Amino acid sequence: MSLAGQAALVTGGGSGIGEGIAKRLGRDGAAVLVADINAEAAERVAAEIAAAGGTAVPCRTDVTDEASVDAAVAEAERRLGRLRIAVCNAGITDRVPVLEMSLSAFERVLRVNLIGCFLTARAAGRAMAKAPGEGGRIVTISSVSGQFGGTGRAAYGASKGGIEMLTRVLAVELAPHGILVNGVAPGPTQVARTAHGPRQRAAFLDRMAVKRYGTPEDVGAAVAFLCSGDNAFIAGQILNVDGGFASSGVMYDPAEGA
């Protein structure tokens, strides 16, 4: 899939899934603004994209700050050209039971994940809408945790569920501007912050048709498709990249008996 000549912004692009997305878009020819609150991480990823033959620039960005997000979009257009692709990926997680979670902790997760997604999509959408006829692609990053209840996922699950509804609203409102908005919901994905022990890994894998954790590259491939010219008629959808996790019910080997 060729994204040559298209400027892209990826929030949280300095590590994990965001890094995988940024590198895939760069490999497919997009000029990528790697936005991350960790400036050194953004610089490293941008340098690696450039070393592989792509075009990328780093930008320290705090997605909870409206001015910072607006500045990142402006920087992308100043350095790379008219913004055509935005991936709202930045996020944090938590594993705190409801009865032990403080209000400040709950609000922090929602501010980074949900409000950060809103601010990024709004800023990107405004920039794309200024170029009639050109359109664009916005992809949000949700999670299967926003589709199922799970222990220790009150704030994280609520934020990701909110992102999925926000994605649908954005799709309806931005389609008249030629902007297609969709979401990607990763399942269990192996990144540096994934610290699942054997029992937690087994609980996930038992529910998955594909018996492995996903990778940032798996997610990046899905995002690249949604951002490409091959997608001309998909809007408001959430694409699960989860190894069949959301499709599975009770799974057992019939050979083991009832």
Side-chain angles (χ1 to χ4, degrees), residues 152 168 200 238 253:
R168 298 181 181 99
Q200 189 171 8
I238 306 299
D253 185 353

Side-chain angles (χ1 to χ4, degrees), residues 4-258:
Q6 300 193 46
L9 178 151
V10 180
T11 64
S15 63
I17 288 174
E19 178 177 349
I21 294 169
K23 288 181 174 178
R24 175 56 188 258
L25 297 183
R27 192 180 86 190
D28 286 356
V32 184
L33 184 109
V34 182
D36 201 287
I37 197 167
N38 184 328
E40 292 183 358
E43 290 168 2
R44 175 186 62 80
V45 173
E48 291 177 2
I49 292 172
T55 300
V57 295
C59 181
R60 185 188 182 280
T61 306
D62 179 355
V63 297
T64 70
D65 181 83
E66 184 176 12
S68 181
V69 173
D70 289 344
V73 170
E75 180 74 354
E77 297 211 303
R78 184 180 73 82
R79 301 278 301 273
L80 304 174
R82 176 69 66 183
L83 187 67
R84 298 292 302 280
I85 296 169
V87 184
C88 310
N89 167 78
I92 58 175
T93 188
D94 70 275
R95 292 186 179 87
V96 182
V98 171
L99 300 184
E100 300 173 15
M101 175 169 277
S102 67
L103 175 60
S104 62
F106 188 87
E107 289 178 333
R108 176 172 176 263
V109 174
L110 264 67
R111 184 152 194 86
V112 173
N113 296 3
L114 181 55
I115 294 178
C117 180
F118 162 73
L119 291 175
T120 303
R122 187 187 65 176
R126 285 173 171 173
M128 294 174 187
K130 289 179 181 178
E134 291 189 19
R137 303 286 189 272
I138 297 175
V139 178
T140 65
I141 303 300
S142 176
S143 168
V144 293
S145 291
Q147 302 169 4
F148 300 94
T151 55
R153 283 290 193 262
Y156 185 72
S159 72
K160 294 300 187 177
I163 286 172
E164 297 202 356
M165 180 52 68
L166 174 62
T167 301
R168 298 181 181 99
V169 174
L170 289 168
V172 171
E173 293 195 4
L174 298 185
H177 299 283
I179 303 167
L180 299 182
V181 184
N182 292 285
V184 169
T189 305
Q190 190 62 55
V191 296
R193 73 182 185 186
T194 302
H196 295 174
R199 292 180 63 186
Q200 189 171 8
R201 289 184 70 88
F204 276 119
L205 292 173
D206 283 349
R207 282 281 307 274
M208 296 170 68
V210 181
K211 299 299 184 183
R212 67 169 177 86
Y213 273 33
T215 67
E217 291 74 22
D218 292 325
V219 181
V223 171
F225 162 70
L226 290 172
C227 293
S228 75
D230 290 334
N231 170 29
F233 199 57
I234 302 172
Q237 300 303 305
I238 306 299
L239 175 58
N240 279 33
V241 181
D242 65 354
F245 180 84
S247 300
S248 304
V250 175
M251 297 177 65
Y252 73 99
D253 185 353
E256 296 178 357

